[in-house]
């Protein structure tokens, strides 16, 4: 069975400070992992994904996530956040069959000026 | 730019009304999904469809039905709206099989039932 745990429901951080959003998963199939971002009053957008290969994946706006098989984690990090990063972030893991993406409950990142 | 389009951003309906939420995708995706999003609960799957005229119940199908008469369109129906169905509704689509690219989401419909 597949599941995702996002350990922090809310993360406040000052502008230009580093941030880590935590995600742990369980999966009985080959692991594909995703981070989605949801800006206020919008749908979810794919931020980055791990399918295979390098365990460190990056997004175009400076976020990165590292797949750690031994710790079953896929934490999202950014070395210096901006006000525009304020959003809700969802971690997801592939499942089986047509319904094949399982989401965590989300982490609300608030960047404080 | 490929898209999933939800017909309404905001809707206000009265208790007992029949409500239709429409979703259209232009990516020729086989799979389509309806989620509701509530604070602290994340995304919960209501129904999904992996082919035209096919549907499967998700985690919380009670009080909802769906229709998929064409590949590009997936409708969510609230047979008799109730106040506990006030929520953000998100439609998504994905490819079936092959390389895995994740889901593409619409912008959401915020439904208020009064």
């Amino acid at each position: 069975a597949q599941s995702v745990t996002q350990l922090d429901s809310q993360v406040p951080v000052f502008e230009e400070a580093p941030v880590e959003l935590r995600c742990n998963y369980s999966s009985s199939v080959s692991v594909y992992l995703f981070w989605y971002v949801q800006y206020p009053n919008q749908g979810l957008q794919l931020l980055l994904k791990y399918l295979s290969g390098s365990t460190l994946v990056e997004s175009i706006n400076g976020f990165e996530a590292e797949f750690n098989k031994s710790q079953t984690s896929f934490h999202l990090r950014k070395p210096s956040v901006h006000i525009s990063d304020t959003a809700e972030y969802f971690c997801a893991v592939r499942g089986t069959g047509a319904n094949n993406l399982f989401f965590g409950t989300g982490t609300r990142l608030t960047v404080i000026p | 730019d490929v898209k999933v389009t939800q017909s309404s951003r905001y809707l206000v309906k009265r208790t007992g009304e029949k409500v239709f939420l429409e979703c259209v995708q232009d990516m020729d995706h086989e799979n389509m999904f309806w989620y509701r999003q509530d604070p602290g609960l994340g995304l919960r799957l209501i129904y999904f469809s992996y082919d035209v005229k096919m549907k499967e119940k998700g985690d919380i199908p009670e009080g909802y039905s769906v229709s998929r008469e064409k590949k590009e369109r997936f409708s969510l129906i609230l047979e008799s709206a109730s106040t506990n169905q006030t929520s953000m509704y998100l439609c998504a689509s994905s490819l079936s099989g092959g390389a895995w690219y994740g889901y593409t989401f619409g912008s959401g419909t915020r439904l208020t039932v009064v």
Side-chain angles (χ1 to χ4, degrees):
Chain A
Q2 290 74 39
S3 67
V4 175
T5 301
Q6 291 184 245
L7 297 166
D8 306 300
S9 60
Q10 298 189 55
V11 174
V13 62
F14 286 106
E15 192 174 15
E16 298 184 2
V19 70
E20 178 180 81
L21 307 182
R22 296 180 292 170
C23 172
N24 288 90
Y25 69 90
S26 66
S27 177
S28 57
V29 297
S30 299
V31 178
Y32 294 171
L33 294 158
F34 304 80
W35 276 100
Y36 284 82
V37 59
Q38 184 181 33
Y39 298 105
N41 297 313
Q42 295 187 26
L44 277 68
Q45 303 172 33
L46 182 64
L47 185 62
L48 49 76
K49 61 183 182 284
Y50 168 79
L51 302 180
S52 64
S54 172
T55 57
L56 184 66
V57 291
E58 299 177 350
S59 72
I60 59 172
N61 59 352
F63 282 94
E64 64 179 30
E66 186 164 19
F67 168 55
N68 187 319
K69 187 175 182 179
S70 63
Q71 297 186 5
T72 61
S73 68
F74 191 56
H75 301 332
L76 182 69
R77 302 183 181 95
K78 189 170 185 179
S80 175
V81 295
H82 302 287
I83 295 292
S84 59
D85 294 324
T86 293
E88 190 150 19
Y89 293 79
F90 292 90
C91 183
V93 65
R94 184 189 80 146
T96 57
N99 173 26
N100 50 10
L101 200 60
F102 291 86
F103 289 89
T105 52
T107 297
R108 184 171 299 278
L109 173 65
T110 302
V111 180
I112 305 163
Chain B
D1 194 17
V2 294
K3 281 186 177 178
V4 175
T5 303
Q6 295 183 232
S7 55
S8 303
R9 290 299 304 274
Y10 300 94
L11 275 179
V12 181
K13 297 293 182 180
R14 296 196 179 276
T15 301
E17 278 193 74
K18 190 169 186 176
V19 181
F20 293 85
L21 302 183
E22 305 289 344
C23 176
V24 177
Q25 51 96 2
D26 63 0
M27 297 167 285
D28 202 33
H29 283 176
E30 293 85 2
N31 303 326
M32 296 188 75
F33 307 83
W34 275 107
Y35 289 88
R36 65 176 284 176
Q37 182 183 12
D38 300 289
L41 298 177
L43 276 69
R44 292 182 291 169
L45 183 65
I46 304 171
Y47 268 97
F48 67 100
S49 169
Y50 53 88
D51 201 353
V52 176
K53 297 190 184 295
M54 305 302 289
K55 60 184 179 183
E56 294 284 343
K57 293 180 179 179
D59 300 319
I60 51 164
E62 295 78 19
Y64 303 94
S65 62
V66 290
S67 172
R68 194 166 181 200
E69 296 296 319
K70 294 184 178 181
K71 189 175 186 180
E72 67 270 19
R73 186 180 297 270
F74 192 36
S75 303
L76 179 69
I77 304 157
L78 286 65
E79 297 291 342
S80 177
S82 63
T83 54
N84 63 12
Q85 292 178 310
T86 291
S87 186
M88 169 72 96
Y89 289 88
L90 294 169
C91 176
S93 70
S94 74
L95 285 167
S96 181
W100 227 91
Y101 302 102
Y103 291 4
T104 302
F105 281 86
S107 297
T109 296
R110 188 167 293 281
L111 173 67
T112 302
V113 182
V114 298

